[in-house]
């Protein structure tokens, strides 16, 4: 278990020699607990329709300039077929928060993917009712990714434009998802305006407490068409104690997450690869063991704009580039569903 002081010490560390020790320690813990396999999860962003007005997200309901879409069931299944043909063990069905998505329709798609390809299915569709979650689990969903972005309730209310919350709704729901039999995943953004070192340290402690099966962390990338993005881009100075939304700081959090959650599946995120040309490799060298190749077809992929794509590199990054990145590190693509393997206590 990492202590608060240990986490804060590493987060504030700048000495490259000492940080190299952190990268190597995290990589060693990764190797000992989840091995050298890099599991590939085919990401299918099946809809950008969203009713929320989150201040950081380019898909918020107030963005009337964004063309909305929802893939058909045949288009979604075709993406899953691509994942199967490439040897991926799982797919991630992701969308904006839209309570009007028919659960029967989505459940039937999950069942078809399971029957046709035998892939594990992760859902990332926001906060749903218990009855909806039970139905999707019955239809074959294996995992649920619900990033809480920050565990600090004040900051969460600010970025979500919600008021008077008595507790963090997503943290409560993660506990419910585990009770329903899902593998659960959470995560945060790095460098949100107003986010401090202490907040991130508490986030990492929460990863440990929740014993998350999946943990995703990526840099906050300001979207110029959002309230928060405009404020961030116009700010002349950082808030005192503000953490950076840099590749280096994100790497620190990935490494510390691996130390805090030795057995969890941790992706080298697309957001990190967006701000750094070797972001996937940076993540994999710092404790990550998952990459989520984007299988969403164009023109829809460009419309799933949580943040703006600032790098031509990531737009052009394909399946074979990912295999090359894995090979550079003398690692290998994972096989099978790639679920979390829990070892006995004291291993």
């Amino acid at each position: 278990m990492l202590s608060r002081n240990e986490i804060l010490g590493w987060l504030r560390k700048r000495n490259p020699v000492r940080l190299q020790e952190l990268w190597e320690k995290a990589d060693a813990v990764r190797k000992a607990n989840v091995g050298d396999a890099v599991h590939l999860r085919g990401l299918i962003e099946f809809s950008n329709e969203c009713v929320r007005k989150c201040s950081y997200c380019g898909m918020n309901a107030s963005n009337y300039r964004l063309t909305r879409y929802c893939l058909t069931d045949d288009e979604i299944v075709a993406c899953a077929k691509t994942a199967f043909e490439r040897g991926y063990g799982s797919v991630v069905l992701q969308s904006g928060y839209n309570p009007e998505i028919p659960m029967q329709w989505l459940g039937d798609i999950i069942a078809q993917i399971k029957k046709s390809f035998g892939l594990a299915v992760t859902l990332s569709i926001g906060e749903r009712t218990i009855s909806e979650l039970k139905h999707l689990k019955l239809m074959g969903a294996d995992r649920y990714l619900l990033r809480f972005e920050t565990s600090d309730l004040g900051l969460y209310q600010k970025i979500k434009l919600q008021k008077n919350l008595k507790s963090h709704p997503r943290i409560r729901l993660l506990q419910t998802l585990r009770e329903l039999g899902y593998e659960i995943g959470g995560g945060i953004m790095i460098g949100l305006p107003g986010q401090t070192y202490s907040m991130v340290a508490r986030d990492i402690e929460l990863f440990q407490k929740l014993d998350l099966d999946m943990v995703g962390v990526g840099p906050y990338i300001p979207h110029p068409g959002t309230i928060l993005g405009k404020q961030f881009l116009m700010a002349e100075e950082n808030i005192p104690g503000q953490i950076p939304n840099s590749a280096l700081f994100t790497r620190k959090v990935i490494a510390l997450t691996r130390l805090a959650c030795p057995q969890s599946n941790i992706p080298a995120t697309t957001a990190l690869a967006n701000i750094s040309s070797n972001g996937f490799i940076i993540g994999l060298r710092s404790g990550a063991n998952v990459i989520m190749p984007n299988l969403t077809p164009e023109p829809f992929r460009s419309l799933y704009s949580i943040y703006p794509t600032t790098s031509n590199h990531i737009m052009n990054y394909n399946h074979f580039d990912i295999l090359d990145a894995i090979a550079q590190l003398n690692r290998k693509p994972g096989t099978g569903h790639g679920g979390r393997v829990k070892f006995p206590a004291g291993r």
Side-chain angles (χ1 to χ4, degrees):
M1 297 285 287
L2 288 171
S3 70
R4 175 80 59 85
N5 286 339
E6 286 178 305
I7 295 171
L8 285 170
W10 281 116
L11 290 177
R12 292 193 170 105
K13 199 77 67 182
R14 296 184 178 183
N15 186 312
V17 175
R18 292 301 313 279
L19 286 174
Q20 185 61 34
E21 294 177 17
L22 177 61
W23 317 144
E24 292 176 359
K25 185 175 182 179
D27 196 47
V29 170
R30 182 273 309 161
K31 184 178 180 67
N33 285 274
V34 299
D36 285 332
V38 178
H39 294 285
L40 303 176
R41 323 281 202 206
L43 177 62
I44 306 171
E45 298 161 332
F46 68 90
S47 174
N48 70 349
E49 296 171 348
C50 189
V51 301
R52 294 279 169 82
K53 297 183 179 181
C54 303
S55 68
Y56 62 89
C57 179
M59 297 191 327
N60 74 81
S62 299
N63 186 357
Y64 299 111
R65 296 182 179 181
L66 182 64
T67 301
R68 304 292 174 167
Y69 74 88
C70 183
L71 300 183
T72 66
D73 48 356
D74 287 342
E75 288 170 328
I76 295 170
V77 171
C79 293
K81 182 181 180 182
T82 298
F84 174 74
E85 291 173 343
R86 291 180 178 179
Y88 302 171
S90 63
V91 291
V92 181
L93 301 183
Q94 181 169 290
S95 72
Y97 176 68
N98 179 9
E100 300 302 318
I101 294 175
M103 290 297 106
Q104 186 63 50
W105 170 78
L106 185 57
D108 289 346
I109 290 172
I110 293 169
Q112 186 174 351
I113 290 172
K114 302 289 286 190
K115 180 180 179 180
S116 299
F117 311 117
L119 300 171
V121 176
T122 300
L123 297 176
S124 179
I125 57 174
E127 299 150 40
R128 316 303 305 195
T129 67
I130 292 179
S131 61
E132 289 174 328
L133 296 170
K134 285 181 176 179
H135 173 71
L136 297 172
K137 188 74 179 70
L138 182 65
M139 298 303 288
D142 301 280
R143 306 167 186 148
Y144 208 100
L145 178 60
L146 192 68
R147 285 169 52 120
F148 47 82
E149 311 305 3
T150 173
S151 61
D152 184 87
L153 188 58
L155 183 58
Y156 181 82
Q157 291 183 110
K158 176 183 175 182
I159 66 171
K160 291 289 185 177
L161 298 182
Q162 297 180 27
K163 297 180 180 180
N164 303 319
L165 294 177
K166 294 182 179 179
S167 62
H168 200 304
R170 294 199 160 197
I171 294 171
R172 291 201 317 270
L173 188 53
L174 279 168
Q175 295 165 332
T176 300
L177 284 160
R178 168 154 285 159
E179 293 168 1
L180 293 176
Y182 286 92
E183 280 196 9
I184 60 170
I188 61 172
M189 282 187 286
I190 306 299
L192 286 164
Q195 190 179 42
T196 65
Y197 287 87
S198 293
M199 288 179 187
V200 175
R202 290 195 296 269
D203 291 333
I204 295 171
E205 287 181 319
L206 183 61
F207 298 160
Q208 289 184 130
K209 181 179 179 180
L210 293 174
D211 191 27
L212 294 174
D213 303 303
M214 307 172 285
V215 189
V217 298
Y220 164 65
I221 302 175
H223 193 298
T226 63
I227 295 172
L228 199 65
K230 290 175 182 176
Q231 292 174 349
F232 184 92
L233 294 169
M234 291 174 62
E236 295 183 0
E237 296 181 0
N238 282 335
I239 301 168
Q242 167 77 39
I243 64 168
N245 62 337
S246 65
L248 176 61
F249 200 89
T250 302
R251 187 179 188 184
K252 291 180 187 180
V253 178
I254 291 173
L256 290 167
T257 299
R258 173 56 69 196
L259 298 183
C261 306
Q263 301 169 9
S264 298
N265 283 311
I266 301 174
T269 60
T270 303
L272 176 58
N274 198 344
I275 66 170
S276 174
S277 61
N278 61 342
F280 286 136
I281 290 177
I282 287 174
L284 292 176
R285 281 178 170 162
S286 310
N289 69 313
V290 171
I291 292 178
M292 295 167 58
N294 196 331
L295 302 181
T296 312
E298 289 291 4
F300 307 110
R301 184 184 303 188
S302 299
L303 297 174
Y304 200 86
S305 58
I306 295 176
Y307 52 80
T309 300
T310 58
S311 169
N312 289 329
H313 169 80
I314 193 61
M315 288 296 288
N316 297 323
Y317 218 81
N318 62 35
H319 171 67
F320 298 103
D321 293 323
I322 290 172
L323 295 183
D324 286 344
I326 294 170
Q328 285 181 46
L329 301 176
N330 294 318
R331 309 249 306 259
K332 57 187 179 182
T335 58
H337 289 180
R340 176 181 173 183
V341 177
K342 292 188 178 182
F343 299 119
R347 178 185 181 275

